[in-house]
């Protein structure tokens, strides 16, 4: 196995609470994509006027940058990092 054929990616789990508003979930997904992360799992639950979203993401960029950008969305009430793990994946 050639070490240069592997990249290190991180897996993160974020808990996000946001208000239910038209296209709010689409905006959240767009920010995740634009910031260089891939959603590998998403669980969403409606709680009153809010959405509780549990996101499992993969990416090689710092998750703090993504958290900061998500918190800037006017529909987001809070973002919490639940866990992070390191993984290696082959590129070739």
């Amino acid at each position: 196995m050639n070490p240069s054929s592997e990249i290190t990616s991180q897996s993160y789990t974020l808990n996000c609470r946001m208000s239910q508003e038209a296209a709010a979930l689409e905006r959240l997904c767009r920010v995740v994509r634009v910031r260089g992360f891939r959603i590998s799992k998403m669980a969403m639950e409606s709680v009153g006027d809010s959405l509780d979203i549990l996101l499992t993401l993969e990416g090689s960029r710092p998750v703090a940058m993504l958290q900061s950008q998500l918190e800037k969305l006017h529909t987001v009430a809070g973002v919490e990092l639940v866990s992070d793990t390191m993984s290696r994946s082959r590129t070739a």
Side-chain angles (χ1 to χ4, degrees):
M1 186 183 312
N2 183 354
S4 64
S5 67
E6 292 186 0
I7 60 169
T8 302
S9 73
Q10 198 82 11
S11 179
Y12 303 98
T13 303
L14 292 177
N15 193 6
C16 181
R17 175 165 277 193
M18 62 190 317
S19 59
Q20 290 192 42
E21 189 176 292
L25 194 54
E26 289 91 338
R27 282 192 295 276
L28 178 109
C29 292
R30 184 181 64 234
V31 169
V32 169
R33 179 184 51 82
V34 167
R35 293 296 168 198
F37 291 85
R38 184 180 76 80
I39 299 172
S40 59
K41 189 190 306 187
M42 180 189 306
M44 194 232 13
E45 182 179 3
S46 178
V47 180
D49 291 338
S50 297
L51 298 174
D52 280 346
I53 305 162
L54 191 64
L55 293 166
T56 301
L57 309 169
E58 294 176 1
S60 57
R61 293 181 164 180
V63 73
M65 175 190 65
L66 175 62
Q67 266 184 281
S68 172
Q69 291 301 309
L70 290 174
E71 288 169 348
K72 290 179 184 179
L73 294 173
H74 73 279
T75 54
V76 172
V79 179
E80 175 188 8
L81 178 63
V82 178
S83 71
D84 61 344
T85 57
M86 183 79 73
S87 64
R88 288 183 137 343
S89 58
R90 287 189 62 142
T91 60

